[in-house]
Amino acid sequence: MSASHLYATSGALWKASRRQAAEQTGAAVPTASRALWLSTLMLLCLGALLVYSSSAVYAARMYDDAQHFLKLQLVWGALGLAAMLALTYVPTAWFRTHATTLLVLAMVLCVLVLIPGIGHRVGGARRWLSLGVAGFQPSELAKVAVVIALASVLARREEKSGHRRTLLVPVLAAQLPVILILAEPDLGTALVIELIVGAMVFAAGLPLRLLAMSGLAALPVFYHLVVGTPFRLQRLLGYIDPWAYRSTVGYQVTEALISLGSGGVMGVGLGDGKHKLFFLPEAHTDFIFAILGEELGLVGVLVVLAAFAVLVGTGLVIARRATHGFEAHLALGLSLLIGVPAVFNMCVATGLLPTKGLPLPLLSYGGSNLIATLASVGMLLRISLGQRHATASARGGSWT
C-alpha cells in the first residue's frame, strides 16, 4: 500500500476512531470536562502571578502604578471567564448555523483595523482597534471564526461524502482572512491559522500529497514575506546566530536564553527575577516564558508544559469522542488554537524559532488573546458537556 493511499484514508480512520471512542465514553466525559477547566484555571492563575511579577517595575515607571498590567489582566480574565461560562450554554448547532456570519464579521473587523484613523498602530503594525482604555485585536477573533467556519464546511462535506480533493476549497477560502492579517502585518498569526487549517483538512481526509503541494505553492510567497521585508530578514539573522547580533536583532533571544538558564532547576523565586528589570523586552507578553524559567526554574517549566499537555490533550480526546462531525472538527481546531501558539511562543523564547510576537495563551499579558483562548475552552466544555448529556440520556439517567 502506497504512502499516499495511507494518508488519503486518514479521514476515514479518524471517523472510525471517533465511533469507537463514543462507544467507550461513559464516565470519562466528566473527567475530561474537569481536566479541561482545572488545567485552564491553573494556567490562568499562574499567568496573573507572572504578569504581575514581570511587569511591576516597568508599570511603576511607565504608569506610576506597579499593578497597572495586573489590574487589566484581571479584568480581561474576568471577562474571559464570563465568556467561557456563557459559551457552555450555547448549543454547538448555533455556531454551525452562524459560522459564515462570524467569519464575515471577523473579516470586516480585520479590514477596519487597516484603515488609518480607525486601526491603532503600535510598533509599526496596525493590529488593534482602540476601545478607549484598551485595544482589541480582530485577528484573535478571526482565528476562532476560521476554525468554526472550516469545521462547518468539513462537516457538511463529510455528510455529503464529498471527494477529498474538494477539501482544497476551504483551504483556499481560509486565505482571505490570512491575507488581511498579513497586511497588518502579522506573519505569526497567519502562520498559526495556516497550520491549523492544514491539520484540520488533513484529519478530514485530504491526502498528504495535496497538502504538501499546497505548501510548496505557498513557499515563494513565504520567501517574499520574509526576505522581502527588512525587519523579518533581520529577525531571521538574529535567529540563525543570535550571539553574533547580541546588541541588535539577537538581543531579545539572548536575554531570554540567559534568563531561562539562570533559573536552574528550582528557579530564583517568584518575583526575584532580574531580567524583567529592563533587560528583557516584552517580559510580560511575548517572553513571559523566559521569566517563568528564571523565577520558577525547570520545575515550573515542566508544570506549565504538563498543564498545556493536559489542556490540549483533553481537547483532542473530546474531538475523538465526538459523534457529530461538526463537533469533532471544531474541537480539533480549538485544541490546536491553544496548542500551536503555545508551542510557537515557547520555541521563540528558547531560540528554536525566529521571533514572531505571539503571546503564550493564558499566561502572557493581553486581553484579546486571553478572551479568545477562554472562549475556545468554553466551546470545548460545551462539546464535552453535550457528550455527557448524550451518554446520560442513552442510559436513562441525568447529566447534572
Side-chain angles (χ1 to χ4, degrees):
M1 184 180 291
S2 66
S4 61
H5 181 71
L6 285 172
Y7 289 120
T9 60
S10 60
L13 290 175
W14 190 41
K15 284 188 285 185
S17 69
R18 279 164 37 200
R19 286 195 297 269
Q20 180 183 5
E23 296 171 356
Q24 301 172 351
T25 299
V29 174
T31 303
S33 299
R34 194 177 300 115
L36 198 62
W37 66 261
L38 281 176
S39 57
T40 299
L41 289 179
M42 193 206 83
L43 288 170
L44 188 63
C45 292
L46 178 60
L49 292 174
L50 288 173
V51 165
Y52 178 57
S53 174
S54 58
S55 67
V57 176
Y58 175 75
R61 173 178 290 188
M62 298 298 296
Y63 301 98
D64 198 28
D65 181 6
Q67 299 178 358
H68 174 80
F69 292 107
L70 173 63
K71 292 174 182 176
L72 288 175
Q73 188 76 346
L74 291 177
V75 171
W76 293 124
L79 292 174
L81 286 173
M84 182 181 77
L85 179 61
L87 288 171
T88 61
Y89 291 94
V90 180
T92 54
W94 187 91
F95 294 106
R96 184 172 184 178
T97 302
H98 296 87
T100 302
T101 303
L102 291 172
L103 182 60
V104 171
L105 173 62
M107 291 176 62
V108 169
L109 292 175
C110 286
V111 170
L112 289 176
V113 83
L114 299 176
I115 301 176
I118 298 179
H120 184 54
R121 182 182 292 273
V122 176
R126 199 183 299 276
R127 303 175 185 174
W128 288 266
L129 291 175
S130 180
L131 299 178
V133 296
F136 169 71
Q137 285 186 276
S139 59
E140 294 294 341
L141 173 61
K143 289 192 299 184
V144 180
V146 167
V147 167
I148 295 173
L150 184 57
S152 177
V153 172
L154 294 178
R156 186 162 58 247
R157 173 202 160 276
E158 189 176 282
E159 292 164 358
K160 294 181 179 179
S161 300
H163 196 277
R164 289 187 179 90
R165 285 181 173 79
T166 61
L167 288 170
L168 286 175
V169 176
V171 172
L172 294 174
Q175 304 314 304
L176 295 175
V178 168
I179 291 172
L180 293 173
I181 291 171
L182 285 173
E184 295 180 358
D186 188 353
L187 180 59
T189 299
L191 285 175
V192 167
I193 293 177
E194 296 286 30
L195 287 174
I196 293 173
V197 168
M200 289 178 70
V201 296
F202 176 68
L206 183 68
L208 186 63
R209 175 175 54 85
L210 293 180
L211 195 60
M213 289 174 60
S214 301
L216 289 174
L219 274 181
V221 177
F222 181 74
Y223 177 83
H224 173 72
L225 289 172
V226 175
V227 178
T229 309
F231 76 88
R232 291 191 183 122
L233 183 58
Q234 291 176 350
R235 285 182 177 180
L236 182 60
L237 293 174
Y239 161 70
I240 294 173
D241 190 358
W243 299 102
Y245 300 90
R246 174 77 174 84
S247 60
T248 54
V249 291
Y251 179 77
Q252 261 186 318
V253 177
T254 52
E255 286 296 323
L257 292 174
I258 295 172
S259 179
L260 278 166
S262 62
V265 176
M266 301 302 296
V268 299
L270 187 63
D272 292 333
K274 301 295 187 295
H275 283 78
K276 63 193 178 187
L277 305 178
F278 304 100
F279 292 102
L280 177 62
E282 311 296 341
H284 60 298
T285 55
D286 301 343
F287 284 86
I288 200 166
F289 186 72
I291 301 301
L292 165 70
E294 179 183 10
E295 297 191 348
L296 299 181
L298 178 62
V299 173
V301 168
L302 292 177
V303 169
V304 167
L305 288 175
F308 273 113
V310 170
L311 177 55
V312 177
T314 303
L316 296 177
V317 169
I318 292 172
R320 184 172 178 267
R321 289 174 178 160
T323 55
H324 302 291
F326 174 71
E327 292 184 350
H329 295 300
L330 180 61
L332 173 63
L334 294 174
S335 301
L336 295 176
L337 204 57
I338 299 171
V340 172
V343 172
F344 270 27
N345 179 280
M346 294 176 193
C347 287
V348 167
T350 53
L352 298 176
L353 284 176
T355 304
K356 288 182 175 61
L358 290 171
L360 184 56
L362 299 173
L363 293 182
S364 291
Y365 169 78
S368 302
N369 180 263
L370 184 58
I371 291 177
T373 302
L374 290 172
S376 299
V377 174
M379 285 184 276
L380 285 172
L381 284 169
R382 171 67 256 182
I383 297 171
S384 179
L385 291 172
Q387 293 170 357
R388 183 178 177 183
H389 190 185
T391 302
S393 298
R395 295 180 177 179
S398 172
W399 69 297
T400 56

